[in-house]
Amino acid sequence: MNIEALKNEIYKLKREKNALIVAHNYQIDEVQEIADFVGDSFYLSKVCAERPEEVIVFCGVHFMAESAKILSPHKKVLLPEIDAGCPLADMVTAEDVENLKKKYPDYSIVCYINSPASVKAKSDVICTSSNAVKIVREFPNDKIIFLPDKNLGSFVRKQVPEKDIILWEGFCITHYKIKKEDVEKAKSLHPNALVLVHPECRPEVVELADFVGSTKQIIDFATASKEKEFIIGTEMGVLYSLKKLNPDKKFYILHPGMICPNMKKNTLQSVRDALLYERYQIEVEEEIMQGAKRALAKMLEMG
Ligand code: CIZ
């Protein structure tokens, strides 16, 4: 089936099933194009909870669809490719958290949203890359274990030096590819461009950036900026919104390998199949669901 025919079938199935399609900023362009909403994982989960549709196709990776299910337990949440996982999320388990709690009983666990629901359920509060600094700074304990991303954690540690922060050793395999030399090279090729990077990058890369933020913050920053050229240090999918919102600006990707293989698994074909066969349904065990919901609610309460 050609692209136009596939898109038309998706729109038809979407109407018939009264479904909502949401796509993460890292999805392939065609998938972002047919989505009702595009954004970061937490924004999309909130949209799913607020909207009336009972069937949600979440074009992202597993932990994202899980977060949507936790906030909308009665809806049918579908992930088009069931093996679209997140290696970073898989770098910590619920058992690891149990062991940390035994070893450091006075510490509170701040868990990045890139984590399995079972890990969220054992954490004190969740954070996103947009609010990690605020959550750690304002959490009512000076002793924090931050997991699973050591790079986001070390970015937070720099901004909140007054707290004692233990880091877990996880990292994003895609952001980890960017090295200091890549930034230096990109800057010399594009001397007028600002460098915008994600806090999942290595500390020495973050150090050289003009701006550090989540996908949404990078898109908002470039859109509000009077500058015309930007070097982008995150997954390539963000270029879709950056270019759409800023047709007069230039964007250069910091490293050619900024492609998350898992995010790229969802295709128009798998979105169409998800709608047609109502697959793959995301389920979360009740006890885990309640624990993860409590930790997410704590984040919301903290603003
Ligand atoms: O939470 C998200 O959506 C992720 C993984 C990154 C971001 O900065 O939006």
Side-chain angles (χ1 to χ4, degrees), residues 5 15 28 79 83 91 94 108 129 132 184 204 225 274 279-280:
R15 273 194 309 276
I28 60 169
L79 181 65
D83 63 346
M91 287 177 193
S108 296
S129 38
E184 289 163 351
E204 59 272 26
S225 174
R279 74 183 191 196
Y280 294 92

Side-chain angles (χ1 to χ4, degrees), residues 24-26 39-42 63-64 112-114 128-130 198-200 213-216 234 263:
H24 189 266
N25 287 322
Y26 294 157
D40 64 30
S41 66
F42 190 60
F63 79 83
M64 299 182 171
Y112 186 28
I113 196 154
N114 290 37
T128 67
S129 38
S130 299
H198 197 278
E200 287 177 22
S214 66
T215 54
K216 176 179 170 12
T234 190
M263 282 285 181

